[in-house]
Amino acid sequence: AARLAMGENLPSVRNSVTKTTTACFEPSMDYCVVKFPRWDLNKFKGVSAGLGSAMKSVGEVMSIGRNFQEAMQKAIRMAAPGMLGFQPLTTFESDEAINAVLSNATDQRVDALAAAFERGDSVASIEAATKINPWFLCKLHTIHLLRKHLQKRTLQTITAEEMLLAKQQG
């Protein structure tokens, strides 16, 4: 940044890690960044929980991980203290309540996605309801499946490979 401020252009600055490519060519490490909003709509009287183009979050967190799953899990834990990651936290009154949040974006949408996977919904059915890109839904489904698998394990029965995979998935 200092060299750029002094007038050098980005293509002329060498990557300090690889020493062979320029700084604008590639990142020095492989990583994924997730920005995640913090919701606290209870602070505001009369505000609808529905989300649209108006900014309603009270802030945001940014997390960095080696893959999307790890970064997303970190972001969820930072944005919602007490939440252990991508898992159903809200107890929805009914399947219709989950469907309503899936089809109409609200501050509870991440909870509704986790609840939908928990009840057995497919990536395709959630995509149809939410219009969320299936790439993201597949990654969240991977987290869900690993969580379900690990719930059957104890510290005595979990393998080193399973522990490593859990760590890699956030």
Side-chain angles (χ1 to χ4, degrees):
R3 290 171 64 184
L4 295 175
M6 297 300 295
E8 284 190 54
N9 60 16
L10 197 55
S12 69
V13 178
R14 287 274 170 228
N15 182 315
S16 61
V17 173
T18 65
K19 308 262 191 270
T20 59
T21 59
T22 62
C24 67
F25 179 72
E26 62 183 316
S28 59
M29 302 285 286
D30 290 331
Y31 58 91
C32 177
V33 176
V34 170
K35 287 180 69 176
F36 195 88
R38 292 195 62 191
W39 306 110
D40 195 2
L41 300 181
N42 296 331
K43 284 183 170 182
F44 309 106
K45 295 189 187 316
V47 172
S48 164
L51 303 179
S53 59
M55 181 63 151
K56 289 186 178 180
S57 69
V58 295
E60 62 187 10
V61 299
M62 182 182 85
S63 63
I64 301 173
R66 291 190 181 267
N67 58 46
F68 174 79
Q69 295 94 309
E70 180 184 5
M72 184 66 167
Q73 292 274 65
K74 286 179 179 181
I76 291 171
R77 287 192 301 267
M78 287 188 295
M83 204 163 176
L84 300 176
F86 183 68
Q87 63 182 22
L89 183 64
T90 303
T91 304
F92 290 93
E93 298 171 9
S94 64
D95 284 345
E96 290 76 27
I98 295 170
N99 294 340
V101 175
L102 289 176
S103 59
N104 302 300
T106 73
D107 57 331
Q108 295 181 326
R109 199 169 215 192
V110 171
D111 286 339
L113 290 169
F117 282 130
E118 186 72 23
R119 73 178 179 190
D121 287 15
S122 68
V123 167
S125 68
I126 295 173
E127 178 198 4
T130 63
K131 307 300 184 235
I132 295 173
N133 186 298
W135 185 89
F136 295 101
L137 294 174
C138 285
K139 299 298 185 184
L140 294 174
H141 192 241
T142 299
I143 295 169
H144 166 75
L145 293 175
L146 179 61
R147 184 179 59 80
K148 294 298 284 181
H149 175 77
L150 292 175
Q151 284 178 334
K152 300 173 190 168
R153 299 284 191 244
T154 66
L155 286 177
Q156 292 75 28
T157 62
I158 193 168
T159 67
E161 293 81 19
E162 289 170 327
M163 187 67 84
L164 178 62
L165 181 60
K167 173 71 174 149
Q168 292 168 340
Q169 298 296 307

